[in-house]
Amino acid sequence: MKTPQLFGISALAASVALAGCSTIASTITHINENPINISVIDGKLPSITATQSKTAKPLQFDVNHYKPLDVTVDNQTIKVRAYENIVYVANPVDTAYQSMNIYIPESYFEDKSINGYTASTAPIFMPNAVGGYMPAKPMTVGTGRDGKPNSVAQALHRGMIVASAGARGRTLKSEQGEYYGKAPAAIVDLKAAVRYLKANDGVMAGDAGKIIVNGTSAGGAMTALLGATGDSADYEPYLQKLGAAKASDSVFAVSSYCPITNLEHADMAYEWQLADVVDYKKMSVTMLDYNVKRELVPGRLTDKEKQIAQLLKADFPSYINGLKLKGRDGKLLSLDKDGSGSFKNEVLYYLNKSVNTAHKQGVDLSSYTFLAQKNQPSRIISPIIVSF
């Protein structure tokens, strides 16, 4: 187990924090012999800010500041230490989002192993909840939309450390009317969170050299960028302004589900598939007091919108062909205006490969009506083909 480095707060600071005063009170105490100023407002202790010091460590992980949790998956319960609401930058813009939840199985504090991992070798699973480039708070242990234990719980049961970071998003607006979550805020925040983990690798469980980032949709785009831009100098000014830890922001692996990265051509790709659908339900997303509200609003394309949809659809094959993609045989792929061509065949090849892998593993595919099974009674498992 890695040796923790602990903070100490003086009795004087604690007495002020518990005084229940209705005005602002301040006192000076020390963290590891470094002076800090503590401000108490209405009996609460909102922040501890280290003063200028050569040896101060404001982004130090505190191994003793946690709450115990029981996490159950498949009727098996493990004990976990929950380190929640950790602000991962020294100069946060919005602590509601620039914070991280870290979950560590209790077994790693008892010199035990899980799934072959130990406190020193366990990978760090880092999922985000970003969607629609909206602001996202760090994920917690809970259930998914299917009512089953979410990815945080699943990863913990497999022996991983989980560190989920929140990030600012495009809808955040200051009282002065300034949008402070626009690009590149989200990716900068997540990079800062990676740096926090790397900087604290020596004091917390898990191997920060094996951070696996995960996200879906816009969150998938963020994880793809994390993987592609590790330690890129382009983000350094933003990270320095936030007071990010001085460490690497490269990651070990990326798990991206339907990452939305090519926004410039997204409308074209959408209409290629759905230009003939004129009735729709639009997801309306609003935010009030940090609570996101989503509701479906019905609508119908106007004649002008129908025309634009068809024009965008017609341009898609030219876009695909202009990419000069090559197939598994090394030849250029092409897509015709009617949807046929080697590009379609290449897509079908990989879809069929994926489907049959799942089929051989016993996955129930009966709900997918676009699949058809070949009738080959001589084989134990007949192959499935994807048809459009």
Side-chain angles (χ1 to χ4, degrees):
M1 183 68 185
K2 301 170 186 175
T3 304
Q5 298 179 16
L6 307 181
F7 288 167
I9 300 181
S10 72
L12 174 60
S15 65
V16 174
L18 298 174
C21 55
S22 59
T23 57
I24 298 177
S26 295
T27 187
I28 299 293
T29 186
H30 296 73
I31 289 181
N32 291 347
E33 299 183 354
N34 296 309
I36 62 169
N37 182 71
I38 298 181
S39 298
V40 182
I41 304 175
D42 292 330
K44 298 179 180 179
L45 189 63
S47 62
I48 301 178
T49 306
T51 59
Q52 295 287 336
S53 172
K54 293 181 180 180
T55 59
K57 296 181 179 180
L59 298 178
Q60 177 77 56
F61 176 74
D62 184 356
V63 72
N64 286 327
H65 187 68
Y66 69 93
K67 65 178 181 181
L69 286 181
D70 287 340
V71 181
T72 302
V73 175
D74 296 333
N75 296 320
Q76 294 185 341
T77 300
I78 64 170
K79 294 188 179 298
V80 170
R81 293 190 183 187
Y83 301 85
E84 297 181 322
N85 302 314
I86 300 172
V87 178
Y88 52 73
V89 289
N91 308 316
V93 177
D94 192 332
T95 56
Y97 296 104
Q98 292 171 304
S99 60
M100 183 189 318
N101 293 337
I102 298 176
Y103 301 98
I104 304 176
E106 184 67 34
S107 293
Y108 292 148
F109 296 91
E110 300 170 350
D111 201 25
K112 297 178 181 178
S113 64
I114 302 177
N115 197 28
Y117 298 125
T118 67
S120 298
T121 65
I124 300 176
F125 180 60
M126 186 178 174
N128 70 69
V130 175
Y133 292 91
M134 301 278 283
K137 292 185 177 181
M139 295 174 64
T140 59
V141 175
T143 56
R145 295 179 181 178
D146 58 2
K148 299 178 181 179
N150 64 5
S151 61
V152 176
Q154 296 282 358
L156 288 167
H157 267 259
R158 285 164 172 76
M160 297 183 184
I161 309 300
V162 176
S164 179
R168 291 168 293 165
R170 60 185 173 85
T171 58
L172 292 177
K173 190 176 182 179
S174 69
E175 294 180 355
Q176 292 73 35
E178 177 186 1
Y179 286 94
Y180 61 89
K182 296 190 298 183
I187 183 64
V188 169
D189 286 350
L190 294 175
K191 280 178 169 288
V194 172
R195 289 190 173 197
Y196 178 94
L197 296 173
K198 293 286 186 78
N200 284 283
D201 190 32
V203 295
M204 64 174 279
D207 182 357
K210 292 183 179 177
I211 296 174
I212 305 166
V213 291
N214 166 267
T216 301
S217 191
M222 292 297 100
T223 58
L225 282 173
L226 284 171
T229 65
D231 297 330
S232 170
D234 293 341
Y235 299 93
E236 193 61 35
Y238 304 100
L239 290 162
Q240 287 185 9
K241 186 175 181 180
L242 290 176
K246 295 186 182 301
S248 170
D249 53 63
S250 64
V251 297
F252 175 72
V254 173
S255 169
S256 292
Y257 287 84
C258 56
I260 308 300
T261 55
N262 192 352
L263 297 177
E264 294 153 307
H265 301 93
D267 289 341
M268 193 186 299
Y270 178 90
E271 298 300 351
W272 172 252
Q273 302 177 81
L274 302 170
D276 297 325
V277 178
V278 297
D279 294 303
Y280 63 88
K281 288 184 178 180
K282 178 182 178 181
M283 178 67 75
S284 175
V285 183
T286 57
M287 176 174 286
L288 179 64
D289 296 332
Y290 297 114
N291 294 315
V292 177
K293 180 181 179 182
R294 296 179 173 87
E295 58 181 343
L296 291 174
V297 179
R300 185 178 177 84
L301 295 182
T302 65
D303 290 341
K304 181 66 173 178
E305 289 171 335
K306 294 176 186 177
Q307 181 183 5
I308 294 173
Q310 293 299 328
L311 290 173
L312 286 168
K313 176 182 179 179
D315 283 343
F316 185 70
S318 296
Y319 162 65
I320 289 294
N321 295 332
L323 294 175
K324 299 190 181 302
L325 301 172
K326 293 183 179 181
R328 61 191 186 282
D329 59 1
K331 296 180 180 180
L332 287 174
L333 300 176
S334 63
L335 181 67
D336 300 334
K337 63 180 181 180
D338 62 356
S340 61
S342 57
F343 177 82
K344 176 184 176 181
N345 294 335
E346 191 77 8
V347 172
L348 283 173
Y349 168 81
Y350 286 106
L351 284 175
N352 276 307
K353 185 177 180 180
S354 177
V355 165
N356 281 283
T357 298
H359 180 49
K360 291 176 181 178
Q361 292 173 348
V363 178
D364 182 9
L365 304 172
S366 60
S367 62
Y368 300 101
T369 57
F370 57 86
L371 298 178
Q373 188 166 10
K374 289 182 179 179
N375 185 17
Q376 296 184 9
S378 62
R379 303 183 61 172
I380 297 176
I381 300 178
S382 297
I384 290 178
I385 58 172
V386 180
S387 58
F388 294 114

